[in-house]
Amino acid sequence: MAILRAHIDRFGVAADGRLFRSDRGNVVASSTYSRIWEEARTLSLTPDRVASPLAGRPYDLRHAGVSLWLNAGLPAPEVAQRAGHSVDVLLKVYAKCLDGDRSRMNERIEAALCR
């Protein structure tokens, strides 16, 4: 929040309240977002990660956030509500993000059985 507040103090907001705007106060073009996103990826990721599909689009951050919530153990109905999905859609789209963690899941099952 401190970074966001500092940004607003320095640059202000558009007349309609948007945080980001063009130099002329207009909506930022999607091509500009794409160009800046690519620059940010290049500066922040290792070359092998830049060559991968990791965070290839800003929208991928949404997928990363939802996957994080699920892997953190939040209940599916809560994650669905926060993401604006039904539970059915959430599980259809994000079930695969829980793969590859079988040992942790087995530990959880064992702990539940030992109660």
Side-chain angles (χ1 to χ4, degrees), residues 17-46:
R18 281 179 290 114
L19 181 60
F20 300 108
R21 62 200 181 284
S22 71
D23 291 339
R24 295 182 183 147
N26 298 320
V27 173
V28 177
S30 61
S31 60
T32 301
Y33 275 115
S34 296
R35 182 176 46 78
I36 297 300
W37 187 256
E38 258 324 295
E39 287 177 29
R41 285 183 81 245
T42 300
L43 291 170
S44 61
L45 299 174
T46 60

Side-chain angles (χ1 to χ4, degrees), residues 68-107:
L68 174 74
W69 298 337
L70 287 170
N71 281 304
L74 272 69
E78 176 66 19
V79 175
Q81 180 184 13
R82 289 176 182 236
H85 289 307
S86 68
V87 174
D88 289 345
V89 168
L90 177 85
L91 294 177
K92 183 185 291 184
V93 173
Y94 292 97
K96 63 185 171 286
C97 83
L98 298 172
D99 288 346
D101 203 4
R102 186 168 294 258
S103 63
R104 187 171 64 134
M105 297 304 147
N106 287 343
E107 288 171 11

Side-chain angles (χ1 to χ4, degrees), residues 36-67:
I36 297 300
W37 187 256
E38 258 324 295
E39 287 177 29
R41 285 183 81 245
T42 300
L43 291 170
S44 61
L45 299 174
T46 60
D48 61 315
R49 296 289 188 197
V50 172
S52 78
L54 178 69
R57 308 162 295 167
Y59 187 77
D60 294 335
L61 296 177
R62 173 182 168 81
H63 293 292
V66 172
S67 298

Side-chain angles (χ1 to χ4, degrees), residues 6-14 18-21:
H7 177 88
I8 292 170
D9 288 345
R10 182 173 177 191
F11 299 104
V13 296
R18 281 179 290 114
L19 181 60
F20 300 108
R21 62 200 181 284

